[in-house]
Amino acid sequence: MEHIRLPKVENVRLLDRVSPRKSRVGTLYLTATHSIFVESEAGGRSETWVLHSLVSSVDKQAANASGCPLLIRCKNFQILHFSIPREQDCHDVYLSMQRLSQAECYEELYCFSYKPSIDEEERRREWAFVDLKSDYRRMGLPNSLWKLSPVNQHYKVSDTYPDELFVPESATHPILVGSSKFRSRGRFPALSYYSKENHAAICRSSQPLSGFSARCLEDEQMLEATLKSNPRSDFMYVVDTRPKLNAIANRAAGKGYENEDNYSNIKFQFMGIENIHVMRNSQQKMLEVCELRSPSMSDFLEGLESSGWLKHIKAVLDTGVFIAKAVAEGVSVLVHCSDGWDRTAQVCSVACVLLDPYYRTLKGLMVLIEKDWVSFGHKFTQRCNHLVRDSKEVSPIIDQFLECVWQLMEQFPCAFEYNERLLITVHNHIYSCQFGNFIGNNQRERKELRVHERTHSLWSYLWTNRAEFINPLYRQNHSQSQGLLRPSTAPYCFKFWRGLYNHFDCGMHPRQSVEDYLRVIREETQQLEEQLDSHKQKIAQLEQEQGWSDACAEAIFDKSPTVWVFGKNLALANTPQDYTGSFLTSSPCTPKAPGSPLILPPQDSNQTVDSNLSNSSDQESGIADLSCRSPLSEDSTRDPDSDEAAYSAA
Amino acid sequence: MEFSDHIKTANVEDVVLRQPLHPPSRGTLCITGHHLLFSEREEGSSQQVLLLLRNIDAIEKSVENLLGYPGFLSNAAHGDRMSGSSGTITIKCKDLRVLQLDIPGMEQCLNISRSIETLSCLDNVSEMYPFFYRPTDLSLQDQWGLSTPEKHYTQMKELHERWRLSSVNKSYSVCPSYPPAVIVPNCIDDETLKKVAKFRQGGRFPVLCYYHRKNGMVIMRSSQPLTGANRKRCKEDELLLQAVIEDSEKGFIIDTRSSQQVQQARMTGGGFESKSFYNCWKRLHRQMERGKALQESLIKLVEACSDESHNVDRWLSKLENSKWLSHVQTALSTAGLLAECVERDGHSALVHGYEGTDCSLLICTLAQLIMDPFCRTLEGFLALLEREWVQAGHPFQQRCAHSAYSHARFQQESPVFLLLLDCVWQLWRQFPLALGFSEALLLRLANEVYASDYGTFLCNNDQDRCALGVKDRTHCLFRALLRPAERDYYSNPLYEPTELAIWPSVHPQSLQLWRGFFLRWTQLAHHLEAVQEEIRSMVIEWARVAQR
């Protein structure tokens, strides 16, 4: 609270990014966790909530006639453009928000103050919801080939690894310890995925400390043991996800990659995924393109190309496909990059999604993120900039994983139980720090912070609200949902993810949602079928008791009210209020009163933000776009006849 | 018939067909006057491929004289025939499919390719397949087309007070590319129209194309006025336009050319409506690409789509360089502007460019889809196409003679109609519940416009069609598409009519490559088709349960 210099500013304008002529006037409130803009228009009363931990930058621009502009960029790609009448107020808001949005220590993070009305017992149950051991059991582990190793208990061998890991049955304690000493940060090869059907496995590690010529017998034995745990195969792949040049450069620092001559029966492969710095810059460039006010088609496509973003996404997916194919063909793969917590996490989890239909279910995706990202020590604190640390360590590595899944969903719309909304919500909460899941860099840190004792888990929150996150097109027995996904990685398959990067630009999204429509239909079909069953039972009963005729029974069916209610609700989909509702806001059949309560409990803040945005824009946004692009002003000057006025002004 | 003169080899056996999404298959190839027929000869399979020769855009052949067949066919049984020579024909279709035929025997291969080359480009309209197509469930006695200008006028009761049906063009003498009957202001007589026609390129004087019931405003379309370098004027033309708007009102002229182009047009006898003579009309200029530039754009895009080996950067750069999506953006935003004039601001509008047979039709059609709920139904959309493209004289024969693969560079080809279908697809993507028809219909139309069993897209205008007896001797596609089975298939299962205008977003982020068309023969499109089937079956299931 001591960081709030000014709790309230009146007559603040919130400008519409796409058409700045449209703006809303209201009051800006600063609280410890959120900044809240409340529109003062009599009818509207809409609110816009900004969670401070989601703010990535606050910029104050030079004051102009209409006020002092304040630009707030969020980690979920929302951009808010305020204009504050008094320069001093703006400065105060600027300083307050800058401080509030940059947590200096873990204790300041939102998850430690986020207290929804959930009792302690329930809260503890939340953390038991996703259990990695049961996922390994699902894979059929432990078995005669793979064992649970206690070698990393108390994080003795690798402080960034979890304390329980699966290793080859024949890997003895000395082998594990020896191998870990030959790997960066002690991250020895450990199991990430095991295929029950053909015994092939995906293992992951960090780079070997091979330098120009160093060898390690235990590490070589470790790989042999891994190969031995796949009895049907006589070789294994070692996939180095880095570009060859980067790997070679690492040799000078005593690190590097496996020499095929020293390890028996390995096939070594470089993959060419760029490092965190390249990825950070690439996303930055792409976001600049997304921010352009009214780009031409060429501006947009050229910008997208020069950002290189989709090229990087393809590189990650290509590698995932390579690994998944190898495993599907019965060959085990060891994957590493440098430290084994960025690119390695990406490609292992992408391969898992391709290989195992389970990871394409809602629960499965949670388990997968918990396994390959949380437990194996992806550095969320640095990569997501949760705390003020070195800005060079920030990188959208997990964004790229989520995007790979989205790209796959676009190719196989019936193969995933979850929908785009889930990916976007997960993305939002990876950065929001509202839940404890992504706090800290590894299991050891999370234990020290007592995260499981003091915070809530995202997974059970999502599970509770799963109705919103289910893809109505998903059918378990659909041909797309079976076995290995074989995506095309032709360049034209990679699309710009408007739903995430322009999520808050409502005017850009489809105005009607097929998904919401189908969800209603699916629920309705289920309901009707249940109703029908119960009617049938009733009839059977009645017939037994009183010998009622069939004619009577039909009369009962005709009264079924749901069909009528349903039909009426659907008509709402086309009313102006719902036009821009796009797919993230209230669907036509789950009527949420627009802008009802003034202040909502924080746990609802995300929905609030969404529904407010939908209220803010209306049917006319599309029109305004058409006219503001008008080249008229130029043309009319050249025309001697000069009889046109800018249509937009008319 | 002299088709047989062009066919030296009618049948070849042991031909291998390679087509996208299928394994290679071996069978018999047969060439007829209008078709290429391939029947598989594999055990237990009777797959057939029937291809309209008209659908073939380009053909490439390579003949190998020395070696035997490739491994696939190297069985001794075939090895010795024709001393081991063979040839491969690559057929590139107007529907963007690419087929390959491995034909044993060099001479046969050359014969086949020569026949295809000749028969696929016959330019005598009355020899084309629609004149021979006789399906059992359609009769030539049926009415051709969905409506006529006369019927259309009769149905539009609201029009009758201020508008009349003129048959000044009865014998196509006033405007060769207009239908015999057109709708014009009541107070303008036929003599005036004749004078106006002389003042407009190709005689395309302003006629009514759309009446907006909500506010009584109209969209007119025409060709450019022939003002020329010395700013000629035509009192009758001014009178006609004045009659469109009531005294004090204002109208908008949407010119599909830039103001620079308009000035240049004067040098070649064309021009624009000058403010001083048309003081109630405001001109708005939106430069739209057409003709050759559009054709080049399509060729570049198809070329980019057909190479999977590019990296992402190169793909995006080629996509950008093709400019196709820019044309989609311009068309939709110009149509949006037109609809905005009429629906939101309550003004009448006149649309024209040069000839008024391409871009003008494109944006008038899109604007009607945006504003008019009836045009968004399956029947309404087909009727709209009939009115605005077939009757209004879009020169299909010239524009769609060849597509993206052809080596022949004619002057007149231009995929304006394809651009329309793409824009409609974008509308459907943004408003998936608002259109009564499905993507499948748009794909079907994209095929039919280039190669068809039906006569609908033959010829350049109504006059030609009458001269050749198209309406008596061919079947009408639009009627065929409304037969019960077809109607079912081409309906949008999610359709929920809305009275509101559907304003498209024209942000680059909102517009997408039409994968269903441009990447149609890839695995990707295959998956997406499965989704549409899934949606349909979900809705059917729901309807079935709900009805019980």
Side-chain angles (χ1 to χ4, degrees), chain A residues 61-119:
Chain A
Q61 295 171 338
N64 55 38
S66 57
C68 190
L70 190 70
L71 201 63
I72 296 166
R73 288 192 177 82
C74 299
K75 294 172 183 172
N76 59 3
F77 312 119
Q78 182 169 23
I79 300 171
L80 292 156
H81 196 158
F82 288 113
S83 175
I84 296 173
R86 286 183 51 219
E87 168 121 40
Q88 185 55 45
D89 290 351
C90 183
H91 193 64
D92 285 341
V93 172
Y94 166 72
L95 290 177
S96 311
M97 285 190 81
Q98 200 159 49
R99 177 61 190 87
L100 289 165
S101 64
Q102 295 182 344
E104 284 170 357
C105 61
Y106 281 115
E107 298 305 315
E108 286 183 17
L109 291 178
Y110 183 41
C111 58
F112 295 112
S113 58
Y114 170 61
K115 300 280 177 250
S117 53
I118 293 174
D119 66 39

Side-chain angles (χ1 to χ4, degrees), chain A residues 543-562:
Chain A
E543 273 176 343
Q544 269 186 346
E545 288 172 8
Q546 301 175 3
W548 274 32
S549 71
D550 286 331
C552 267
E554 262 169 41
I556 295 172
F557 289 127
D558 285 342
K559 279 176 197 150
S560 163
T562 43

Side-chain angles (χ1 to χ4, degrees), chain B residues 38-95:
Chain B
F38 174 88
S39 341
E40 199 178 24
R41 279 290 160 77
E42 224 83 349
E43 292 278 315
S45 153
S46 56
Q47 192 205 339
Q48 286 205 333
V49 174
L50 182 68
L51 187 71
L52 208 51
L53 291 175
R54 187 82 195 156
N55 192 352
I56 295 172
D57 204 27
I59 172 164
E60 288 156 19
K61 52 181 182 287
S62 70
V63 185
E64 263 180 57
N65 213 349
L66 301 166
L67 300 162
Y69 308 111
F72 184 77
L73 274 181
S74 59
N75 315 5
H78 318 109
D80 51 355
R81 184 153 28 109
M82 294 296 289
S83 62
S85 67
S86 78
T88 297
I89 298 180
T90 305
I91 292 174
K92 298 183 170 177
C93 299
K94 293 169 184 169
D95 63 11

Side-chain angles (χ1 to χ4, degrees), chain B residues 435-447:
Chain B
L435 301 180
F437 46 89
S438 63
E439 180 179 16
L441 179 77
L442 300 176
L443 290 171
R444 172 85 188 259
L445 289 169
N447 274 2

